[in-house]
Amino acid sequence: MQDRSLLDAEEEQAYRLLVGLSVARTAELAEVARLTQEEAAEVLQRLQAKGLVAVQPGDDPMFRPLPPDVALGTTLLRAQESLESARQTVASLSEEFRASASRRDAHHLVEVIVGAAALRDRLRDLQQAAREEILWFCRANPLAMQGAENTEEYGALSRGVRYRAIYERALLETPGELDSIAEGVSWGEEARTLPTLPVRLAIVDRATAVCPLVRDNEWGIGEPTAAVIGRGQLLDALLALFESHWEAATPVKLQGDGQDPGGLDDNERFLLSLVVAGVPDKSIASQLGISRRTVQRRLDRMMSLAGVDTRTGLAFQAARRKWL
């Protein structure tokens, strides 16, 4: 490879000394630089060739330094252009290598981690590194950590990371889980619910997915394992799976999110979202701290407001009027 340094050490020292002297003969430079006259003459010739020295002719020529930015500017620009070209080449070669490696070796696409603690740590690390969006499938009986333990979510939300989470209906009926979901929504999480979810799943910045490999009925048989999945067709399929379920899911409107659609108060809107999600009246009453009779009375008021007399009609009108 061609040496692209602007000045070698000897040239740099001679130039600095010449700048200090302002002007000098060969013998004078040789003396201060501790060089022989032949060595001083040779280094002055190199500096002259690089445009850093001007010569005043005579029997004993005088050498005067010239501005380095003019002399070396073009050389430096060419070096920068060469470096940028080299960087682009390295990036292109790296991309080709990764593409080829991913076809040869599945380890470049999927990493298997073992143990609940390792899974919990990886989920926390991914959330801390997230920059754009995190997607969740949250099934009942969490494998790695309960919702209240996921404190990294609040830090990511405060950085502007978008959270979209779909919760299994059974999880909404678990004591304490709705409080955790409500807190997440108050920070900016977008929450929806479905009767069931096919897998547990987390996707970070559409670049990395974590999907446990243990079936629910196999818990307690050895350590839990999970796949960490990088970019590729498998990740694309998981993204499509999430988006299709997101479109079908029911929004969970919790108390205090600042909206007042159709004259509903926060408690009524919360109750309505749980009814539409299919949560039983008993669980709704327990979560809201009210009686089942009060649940029915509030539903009756909402049905009257919507002009219907069935829960099915109420769910239809809620969607039509954008109450949820």
Side-chain angles (χ1 to χ4, degrees):
M1 178 180 291
Q2 182 181 356
D3 182 8
R4 297 192 178 274
S5 60
L6 299 179
L7 296 175
D8 62 29
E10 189 179 50
E11 291 168 347
E12 183 178 346
Q13 180 195 30
Y15 180 79
R16 289 179 182 275
L17 291 171
L18 194 58
V19 169
L21 294 170
S22 297
V23 65
R25 296 178 174 85
T26 302
E28 293 169 341
L29 179 63
E31 182 179 357
V32 296
R34 296 182 181 180
L35 300 171
T36 66
Q37 287 204 30
E38 291 77 9
E39 291 171 339
E42 195 271 336
V43 74
L44 284 169
Q45 287 179 357
R46 299 205 308 267
L47 291 173
Q48 185 180 0
K50 292 183 177 182
L52 287 167
V53 168
V55 183
Q56 297 177 1
D59 293 338
D60 192 2
M62 303 283 287
F63 296 89
R64 177 171 53 85
L66 296 175
D69 53 346
V70 175
L72 301 180
T74 301
T75 303
L76 182 59
L77 178 60
R78 288 175 179 170
Q80 290 173 334
E81 291 174 346
S82 178
L83 179 59
E84 181 59 30
S85 176
R87 285 174 177 166
Q88 292 177 2
T89 299
V90 170
S92 176
L93 291 174
S94 298
E95 186 62 32
E96 289 184 24
F97 173 81
R98 284 191 292 268
S100 176
S102 67
R103 290 191 295 268
R104 299 192 311 266
D105 189 353
H107 293 296
H108 288 270
L109 289 177
V110 178
E111 172 194 357
V112 175
I113 55 178
V114 179
L119 176 56
R120 184 163 51 248
D121 290 343
R122 181 59 64 90
L123 288 171
R124 285 174 169 162
D125 290 344
L126 286 170
Q127 289 182 91
Q128 289 172 349
R131 291 293 176 265
E132 296 179 5
E133 183 179 51
I134 295 179
L135 313 176
W136 288 98
F137 273 172
C138 302
R139 300 187 70 183
N141 303 314
L143 179 62
M145 57 184 168
Q146 302 292 328
E149 298 175 343
N150 187 20
T151 55
E152 285 72 25
E153 175 176 354
Y154 308 124
L157 285 166
S158 66
R159 297 195 310 271
V161 176
R162 183 186 185 192
Y163 267 72
R164 289 193 286 156
I166 305 177
Y167 296 92
E168 260 189 350
R169 181 189 300 161
L171 189 61
L172 271 63
E173 300 177 39
T174 303
E177 283 296 333
L178 270 177
D179 291 337
S180 175
I181 296 170
E183 187 174 3
V185 171
S186 71
W187 277 74
E189 175 189 301
E190 299 172 48
R192 296 189 179 186
T193 183
L194 282 172
T196 60
L197 289 170
V199 293
R200 304 173 193 278
L201 179 66
I203 304 177
V204 179
D205 289 341
R206 297 183 171 267
T208 306
V210 179
C211 183
L213 301 175
V214 178
R215 295 175 179 171
D216 286 3
N217 60 6
E218 294 176 350
W219 284 12
I221 304 176
E223 288 280 357
T225 59
V228 181
I229 301 161
R231 293 184 187 274
Q233 289 189 342
L234 180 55
L235 179 60
D236 292 343
L238 292 174
L239 284 166
L241 178 70
F242 179 89
E243 295 296 350
S244 65
H245 281 70
W246 180 259
E247 289 300 318
T250 301
V252 177
K253 294 294 184 180
L254 303 178
Q255 295 143 308
D257 65 3
Q259 301 177 10
D260 184 24
L264 303 184
D265 63 29
D266 286 335
N267 285 330
E268 289 173 328
R269 188 154 35 90
F270 184 28
L271 188 155
L272 178 59
S273 70
L274 297 179
V275 168
V276 173
V279 179
D281 286 4
K282 180 179 179 181
S283 296
I284 294 175
S286 175
Q287 294 290 350
L288 294 180
I290 58 178
S291 67
R292 295 176 67 176
R293 181 171 304 199
T294 301
V295 171
Q296 184 59 53
R297 186 171 63 250
R298 291 182 179 179
L299 285 173
D300 289 343
R301 192 190 93 82
M302 286 187 281
M303 286 189 284
S304 176
L305 191 62
V308 297
D309 56 6
T310 64
R311 295 191 182 196
T312 302
L314 176 60
F316 175 79
Q317 288 297 325
R320 179 173 174 272
R321 297 169 185 237
K322 300 186 184 301
W323 284 356
L324 297 179

